[in-house]
Amino acid sequence: MKYQSQKIAQNFYTFAALLFLVQVVVGIIAAIQFIYPDFFILNFNTIRTLHINALVVWLLVGMMGATYFVVPEESQRELWSIPLAKFQFWATVIAVTAVVLGYIWMGIDPQANKTVLGTLLLNEGREYIEAPRWADLLIVVSVLLFLFVNFMTMLKSKKWTGIQGTLLAGLTMLAIFYLPGMFYTKSMVKDQFWWWWVVHLWVEGCWEIIAGALLAFMLMKTINAPRHVVERWMYVEVALVLFTGILGTGHHYYWIGTPAYWQWVGGIFSSLEPIPLLIMTWDAFRNTREYRTVSNKIGVFYAVAHALFNFLGAGLWGVIHTLPQVNKWTHGTQITTAHGHLAFYGAYVLLVISMIYVTLPLIRGVSEFNTSRGYRSFWWMTISMIFIVLTITGAGMVQTYMERLLGLDYVAVKANYNLWFWILRAVFGVGFLYGVWLFVVDFFKLGKEPVEA
Amino acid sequence: MDNKGVRNLFIYGSLFFFVIFLYLTYDTMGKLDKRAPEITENVNQGKMVWHKYDCIGCHTILGNGSYFAPDMTKVVENKPKAYLKQFIMDPKSVNPNASMPKLGISSEEADNLITFLEWISKVDTNGWPPKPILAVAGTGQKEQAAGQRLFLSMGCQGCHMVNSIGGTSGPDLTHIGSKKDRAFVFSFLKDPQAVKKGSAMPPVKASDADIEALTDYLVTLK
């Protein structure tokens, strides 16, 4: 670590690692509720909200931590203001905790979710962006503070690198595209239309840009690939992500009451969305073969795995049901759940973990550390996730065939025909939890144990 | 191309696609209101109920949501409203096997919610959800008894199952003929409340002759 202020990244990583653990624990509760709906004091809707919100927040917090590490490194100076960065961290922790407590309160007493000043107090009841309006405002303030600290750091150094610029562009867009989720519309069609602006343009737009910039940084740091090569490919990748991804939003506008031309727009552009992901995978493999001076093997390992599973989960598992002719039958089934799990695991979970493995040893000032637990964690998580995704894909195929094509009842298909898929999913969920546990232990112990020969 | 060129391609290319996206959004916004019925105050109140209880945390609507419970887009077309209201307010009192918990939804909230669900069922969704292939093929069968045709056309299958096809809201009728006699079935169809107090089934609104035919069909299911 070259700059003291980069240490702040560790705070964010710690919070991210703990939320990851929470996310997977509640995920297992949700999986059991598919078999026993009355299992646990909180209903499925609350558990599911916690599962997904914890995911979104820990990934965001992880990316913030990574950014606080990357920006001083690229700007070649300390962060503009450490107290402000620290304040931003604690404000985020407090806001997130308050929101979670609100969800739990509402889960125990649904009537507590009252309308105050025209908005719901504890839970907005909109998937993924359930956080109430007061929390939205706190999130915006937190993101703006975060942007401000990083922007000032870059401005003071007057050193503009491509990685920095791209990272900043992705983060600025992240703040901007949160706004379409912050107003109420009386029409459920318009509600879902703008909701996809936030959800799709975050995940398949801004987040992929941030991922592209972080991947470029890691390739440069861990295998000493030259900057101009890494940056050129980064531009190509993020450009293609946006060229396909922006209009690819159309694949959410097939059946929600929007005009039929979206089927053409969404069908064509979202079919092209896997291409940049394939290039990223190829790029990661090509670079690691070409520049063999690897300084952090496990970091590169996770980075390459991220590229590969981003392509498999977001690309392949997405493209199979993206054409309107197919989506007509699969829309709203477990096929989407399967895609969601593999895509988030590949595109973002592995990305944040690889950033942690690349930067944490530098923060702790160790050049060598034990990696065996990190690799074991990877295999437990990855093999479990592959089987989780296969069981949900199987359940989705059965559901599509029996419910959508044959016309059997939803409840009958879920309770009878898919029962074994739910049981197996819960079992593999426990396997995944073990992998996460290994990662969290490794996170706290990294660099603090004697290095084995 | 040098790095600056690729960077500019990224910036201006993305802007180009975003401008197209903005135009399509503008065009869509102008068309949405014509593709759905008018939104009354009750529809809006119902939508607020939908949000208040975080219904999307379990259900899907327009196919988006949590996949844990059935899609609600067309639910009013398949279930009688009186049944829906009773179910929404206290699910397990109507269907002991229901997974849905009692959330404390008031009578007024339930009415508004159903008004909202009626609104959403009339939105032009480009034909989604598609009619299941078997259901479409099945209605074309020949040699059906008059009662069987009524059973299908009146939408009894929205709640009741016969030979694995149909809903799970009401009892499975596959073997109803060996459980209940003709007199019971006839009087139950005419006025469920008189036979079984608190039943969520609405009276069958049809002529006596049609109810006779329906009864004839049901008692053959053994």
Side-chain angles (χ1 to χ4, degrees), chain A residues 33-34 37-38 43-45 48-49 106 110-111 113 120 123-127 177 184-194 196-197 201 228 231-232 235-236 238-239 242-243 246-247 249 254-263 265 269 328-329 331-334 336-337 404-412 414, chain B residues 1 3 6-7 9-10 13-14 17-18 20-22 24-25 27-29 31-33 35 39 41 44 47-48 50-54 56-58 60-71 79 92 99 101 103-105 109 116 119-120 123-128 130-135 161 164-168:
Chain A
Q33 286 180 328
F34 260 80
D38 295 329
N43 293 323
F44 179 84
N45 60 345
R48 201 242 190 198
T49 302
M106 185 235 171
Q111 298 302 330
N113 195 22
L120 290 160
N123 182 329
E124 263 183 30
R126 296 174 76 200
E127 195 190 7
F177 285 109
Y184 181 80
T185 52
K186 290 183 176 183
S187 159
M188 186 51 107
V189 176
K190 288 178 191 167
D191 189 305
Q192 291 203 354
F193 187 92
W194 292 114
W196 280 122
W197 267 56
L201 292 176
H228 69 274
E231 286 193 344
R232 182 182 312 151
Y235 284 132
V236 171
V238 293
L242 289 191
F243 294 178
I246 291 173
L247 289 174
T249 317
Y254 296 162
W255 324 113
I256 65 164
T258 32
Y261 59 68
W262 285 107
Q263 295 182 6
V265 177
F269 282 90
K328 184 178 179 183
W329 300 99
H331 178 57
T333 67
Q334 294 290 331
T336 320
T337 320
R404 290 286 157 76
L405 266 77
L406 297 187
L408 267 68
D409 183 69
Y410 172 93
V411 176
K414 182 187 167 212
Chain B
M1 209 178 337
N3 277 9
V6 195
R7 189 196 68 193
L9 181 73
F10 160 52
S14 304
F17 284 104
F18 191 69
I20 297 178
F21 185 60
L22 270 181
L24 291 176
T25 296
D27 182 75
T28 298
M29 280 298 144
K31 292 188 167 125
L32 290 185
D33 288 336
R35 297 171 57 89
I39 300 169
E41 191 44 37
N44 183 42
K47 180 172 179 276
M48 282 304 287
W50 174 267
H51 291 307
K52 176 184 170 187
Y53 292 95
D54 190 26
I56 205 143
C58 292
T60 50
I61 195 161
L62 300 172
N64 292 317
S66 297
Y67 323 108
F68 183 74
D71 188 81
K79 317 271 176 190
K92 288 191 170 68
S99 299
L103 296 168
I105 299 173
E109 285 178 329
F116 163 70
W119 178 85
I120 203 111
V123 170
D124 179 357
T125 55
N126 299 325
W128 191 88
K131 288 257 180 296
I133 290 168
L134 187 72
M161 205 177 258
S164 298
I165 302 287
T168 48

Side-chain angles (χ1 to χ4, degrees), chain A residues 291-302:
Chain A
Y291 308 98
R292 285 187 169 276
T293 41
V294 177
S295 56
N296 181 329
K297 267 191 182 164
I298 191 164
V300 179
F301 183 80
Y302 269 95

Side-chain angles (χ1 to χ4, degrees), chain A residues 421-436:
Chain A
F421 283 123
W422 309 140
I423 295 171
L424 289 169
R425 188 215 348 219
V427 170
F428 292 116
V430 175
F432 192 84
L433 178 65
Y434 181 63
V436 177

